[in-house]
Amino acid sequence: MIRAAITGIHGWVPDYVLSNQELEKMVDTTDEWIMTRTGIKERHILKGKDQGTSVIGTQAVLGLLEKTGTKPEEVDMLICATVTPDMLFPATANIISHNCGIKNAFSFDMNAACSGLLYALVTGSKFVESGTHKKVIVVGADKMSSIVDYTDRATCVIFGDGGGAFLLEPTTEEFGIMDSMMHTDGSGMIHLHQKAGGSMRPPTHETIDAREHYIYQEGQAVFKFAVTNMADVAVAIMDKNNLKSEDVAWLVPHQANMRIIEATARRMGISKDQVMINIERFGNTTSGTLPLCVWEWEKQLRKGDNIILAAFGGGFTWGSIWLKWAYDPS
Ligand code: UT7
């Protein structure tokens, strides 16, 4: 049986740091409120003219190719999870492939909001498992600052820009993506969406004046669904595979709110030092959160570690992946 193993990870964030103190000058908020309610201290922002999500994805993929010794022409699939594509078309994945000299790949984008990386990882893994594709890159990247309303204090404090890229390769050993549980509930759309800019409400002066090209989020409603569903799906994948708390080395949770992360870890019965948390420095980078965590923790991971990835996001979408880490630090 062929499994899809993660054989490399690389992350990237832009240099500019937007601190809570700077946000205090932009909207009616305080560092204390943001830290207590979300756990976020700062986030990185991609500045500059004509700089889109592909900048983040390109930097992540170039770093990944270099550190794994992969030639661009060897890559045969690239998927980019994002809700902030450079343009509605072509796919940001195509732009990243072009920028990185990846000429032999089948590239496409995937939009599942904050669960996008999970969706893309599961999709990519199926192509590897089928034996048709040998080197698959899965990128999760978002320039959330492009759709954040910096006059809306309830959302602008949460989001940041950044992302990362995984390399998936086949293995016949018991490593890699072992199982996944993915969910969708379209009725959640009313609580979290971007009203205009798509085919239903194309851009007009009216949509711009009404600030409809920004994230619309009913924070409390989303919080309630997120805290329940992310914890449920993380516990469900453990139960399905007879994994006890002591079998799990790491939880990699989507970084939306520290309180959601803590609730998930509590339900799984694991301690906070087994949870990858970098929300304080990066905020919620949507498709970027999971690769940014794994990238930062890579040196602490050991071959055979059981890792649970879990996320919840717009759609609603949510899910979990159980993977067995495939390599020791070099
Ligand atoms: O990643 C994809 C999915 N997204 C999520 O998982 C996000 C889930 N939601 C959340 O994380 C939280 O709901 C938020 C962080 C967005 C908001 O936190 P909250 O504890 O749910 O606050 P709230 O919206 O219930 O607002 C409580 C109070 C309100 O004031 P009143 O009406 O009680 O007087 C808000 O106006 O806090 C006020 N408030 C703020 N005050 C200072 C909202 N934002 C701010 C702010 N600074 N930035």
Side-chain angles (χ1 to χ4, degrees), residues 23 27-34 36-40 113-115 144 152-159 192 217-227 230 254-260 284-286 289 312-314 316:
L23 281 167
V27 288
D28 181 15
T29 191
T30 60
D31 174 52
E32 204 256 327
W33 190 96
I34 304 171
T36 318
R37 306 308 293 169
T38 71
I40 301 167
C114 296
S115 311
M144 295 307 290
D152 173 8
R153 66 176 183 172
T155 54
C156 74
V157 299
I158 311 170
F159 294 101
L192 181 52
Q217 174 169 265
E218 293 164 7
Q220 269 189 26
V222 177
F223 185 92
K224 260 201 323 228
F225 283 103
V227 83
M230 199 163 110
H254 173 51
Q255 315 278 306
N257 188 311
M258 184 69 96
R259 292 177 287 147
I260 300 173
N284 182 352
T285 55
T286 302
T289 60
F312 180 91
F316 290 137

Side-chain angles (χ1 to χ4, degrees), residues 174-208:
E174 282 291 290
F175 298 110
I177 295 178
M178 308 298 285
D179 196 12
S180 62
M181 295 175 88
M182 310 302 294
H183 298 282
T184 306
D185 177 0
S187 69
M189 188 267 275
I190 53 169
H191 302 297
L192 181 52
H193 56 262
Q194 181 181 321
K195 292 187 191 304
S199 55
M200 191 170 84
R201 285 178 73 73
T204 59
H205 285 293
E206 187 197 348
T207 63
I208 290 169

Side-chain angles (χ1 to χ4, degrees), residues 92-231:
T92 300
N94 301 359
I95 301 168
I96 296 170
S97 287
H98 174 69
N99 291 346
C100 299
I102 295 173
K103 294 184 188 320
N104 300 319
F106 159 33
S107 306
F108 58 95
D109 285 358
M110 189 155 276
N111 178 344
C114 296
S115 311
L117 192 280
L118 292 185
Y119 276 52
L121 213 47
V122 169
T123 304
S125 73
K126 299 300 171 196
F127 283 87
V128 174
E129 288 165 11
S130 74
T132 58
H133 292 67
K134 302 243 167 343
K135 288 188 191 290
V136 172
I137 292 183
V138 174
V139 181
D142 269 301
K143 181 188 174 186
M144 295 307 290
S145 60
S146 65
I147 55 168
V148 164
D149 181 350
Y150 286 98
T151 65
D152 173 8
R153 66 176 183 172
T155 54
C156 74
V157 299
I158 311 170
F159 294 101
D161 303 340
F166 289 105
L167 178 63
L168 291 177
E169 292 182 275
T171 177
T172 49
E173 293 183 286
E174 282 291 290
F175 298 110
I177 295 178
M178 308 298 285
D179 196 12
S180 62
M181 295 175 88
M182 310 302 294
H183 298 282
T184 306
D185 177 0
S187 69
M189 188 267 275
I190 53 169
H191 302 297
L192 181 52
H193 56 262
Q194 181 181 321
K195 292 187 191 304
S199 55
M200 191 170 84
R201 285 178 73 73
T204 59
H205 285 293
E206 187 197 348
T207 63
I208 290 169
D209 289 346
R211 310 187 78 77
E212 290 182 356
H213 294 266
Y214 295 121
I215 299 162
Y216 170 83
Q217 174 169 265
E218 293 164 7
Q220 269 189 26
V222 177
F223 185 92
K224 260 201 323 228
F225 283 103
V227 83
T228 310
N229 287 322
M230 199 163 110

